[in-house]
Amino acid sequence: MIDWTPIKNAIRDAKQIVLLPHIYADGDALGSAGALALFLQDQGKQVTIAVEEAVQDKLSFLTSKANLHFALPEEVVPGADLAIAVDVSDYARLGSRKPLFDQARVQARIDHHGVSGDFATITVCNPEWAATAEGIYGLLCEMDASWTVPIAICVYTGLVTDTGCFAYSNVRPETLRVAAAMLEVARDLSWIYRETFENKTKSCIALTAAAYGKTEYEDAGRIAYLRLEAKDYADAGATDEDSEGFSAMLRAIQGVHVSIFVRDGRENGQYRISLRSDEACDVAKVAGEFGGGGHARAAGITYISDKGETFTQFKTRLITRLKECMEA
Ligand code: AMP
Ligand code: MN
Ligand code: MN
């Protein structure tokens, strides 16, 4: 049983509330924050969702269809009564918005990551939830929310995106019950699948072709490795958003148990590494050893090259650990 009491009390005592999804916000981070914002507004609270970067095009329906505003950090004044980090596993994933979190009177976090840092005063984190949105649904039920179509759109978006359209092993009977409840409210939500998983840009297709061409195999084909550089994106006319599904795409190759997808990070010498796996390996555990985190089947690492280690040496170290993990 989840103890919602501390967060319910914190909400009751707050007038101004800031919601903080993780950096590079995905459908779950934005959908969860969106559902919570709509509910809190209905309760008469002043709510701001502060995002790190502009919302991805494919999630822009959250603005148009769920009437949400996602504020960039410079639009937001610190000092809310309550800050809630949503789908944020680690303090570092607040990015430049740490002051918005730290300078609030109360700090809370609602999340579903298994490997995570304890950085809030009030934490509700359940790794059994397929998406943070599943937890938000629970909180809204606890608080007797009136269900509306925009709230249903937000919750469903979180579920659809974090479960690969209800395909991954994180889906529980309860996940489908929540989805069913949202479908009862909104009637038609199939368009959310089309918006988030189909609807691929031509530049995404060009980048996909390059990606398959550059995919390497390690460990007798059990590991797929892909590194895309700025030039690959430029040649395809692609953006970061165009490569969102690539880690899952590599994991889907026959015989592959673990995929590694490497992109450039925000700063020079920084790398963003996405890991996906099947039951052969707990990639959250391996990611944790490298300062990252996530879920057993989907995790990530931010690697900053220093201490004299080259990226190639790091790559070897990571692949070695993943192989050991699969053998264990
Ligand atoms: P991604 O590969 O970026 O889709 O991330 C997969 C999962 O790993 C998500 O649940 C992220 O929250 C988590 N994750 C990604 N990068 C990091 C990181 N640098 N540190 C901790 N968790 C991460
Ligand atoms: Mn997320
Ligand atoms: Mn999530």
Side-chain angles (χ1 to χ4, degrees), residues 19 27 29-39 41 47-49 55 59-71 150-151 153-155 157:
L19 304 180
L30 295 177
S32 296
L36 190 52
L38 292 167
F39 164 70
Q41 279 160 5
V47 188
T48 307
I49 306 174
V55 168
L59 293 170
S60 62
F61 65 84
L62 291 172
T63 307
S64 55
K65 294 220 166 110
N67 319 318
L68 290 164
H69 174 66
F70 296 99
I151 292 180
I153 290 172
C154 289
V155 170
T157 299

Side-chain angles (χ1 to χ4, degrees), residues 96-314:
S96 73
R97 297 161 301 154
K98 293 186 188 91
L100 297 178
F101 188 74
D102 295 340
Q103 292 175 36
R105 197 162 45 77
V106 179
Q107 284 84 26
R109 166 176 160 238
I110 305 176
D111 184 34
H112 70 131
H113 289 88
V115 174
S116 55
D118 203 6
F119 60 92
T121 317
I122 302 168
T123 301
V124 186
C125 179
N126 183 2
E128 290 190 358
W129 295 331
T132 295
E134 202 177 309
I136 298 292
Y137 171 86
L139 173 62
L140 267 55
C141 287
E142 269 281 315
M143 297 190 78
D144 294 320
S146 314
W147 295 99
T148 62
V149 173
I151 292 180
I153 290 172
C154 289
V155 170
Y156 200 83
T157 299
L159 297 178
V160 164
T161 53
D162 261 24
T163 61
C165 312
F166 305 105
Y168 298 153
S169 58
N170 56 357
V171 175
R172 303 179 301 153
E174 182 55 22
T175 317
L176 296 177
R177 279 187 208 107
V178 175
M182 297 300 92
L183 200 51
E184 299 266 17
V185 173
R187 293 284 145 209
D188 176 21
L189 291 169
S190 60
W191 57 270
I192 295 180
Y193 165 73
R194 285 199 304 281
E195 293 285 341
T196 51
F197 284 88
E198 296 187 344
N199 206 14
K200 292 194 193 303
T201 59
K202 303 282 192 305
S203 49
C204 168
I205 301 304
L207 192 66
T208 305
Y212 276 129
K214 293 188 88 171
T215 298
E216 300 165 18
Y217 299 102
E218 301 278 347
D219 197 25
R222 282 184 295 204
I223 298 177
Y225 173 89
L226 171 64
R227 159 117 172 84
L228 289 181
E229 296 173 65
K231 186 179 180 310
D232 300 308
Y233 285 85
D235 289 350
T239 62
D240 194 52
E241 183 177 343
D242 289 319
S243 57
E244 259 236 325
F246 283 16
S247 320
M249 175 178 94
L250 299 179
R251 234 298 299 132
I253 300 167
Q254 189 180 67
V256 170
H257 294 288
V258 173
S259 71
I260 308 169
F261 174 38
V262 184
R263 282 173 272 188
D264 292 338
R266 222 166 251 154
E267 281 132 49
N268 233 344
Q270 205 184 57
Y271 300 86
R272 270 175 77 192
I273 296 135
S274 289
L275 303 173
R276 296 291 183 274
S277 68
D278 59 12
E279 58 290 336
C281 174
D282 180 343
V283 282
K285 203 168 139 268
V286 176
E289 294 170 18
F290 291 86
H295 309 280
R297 309 281 170 258
I301 301 165
T302 306
Y303 177 71
I304 302 157
S305 60
D306 60 354
K307 301 176 204 112
E309 188 184 49
T310 64
F311 182 77
T312 309
Q313 287 167 328
F314 163 78

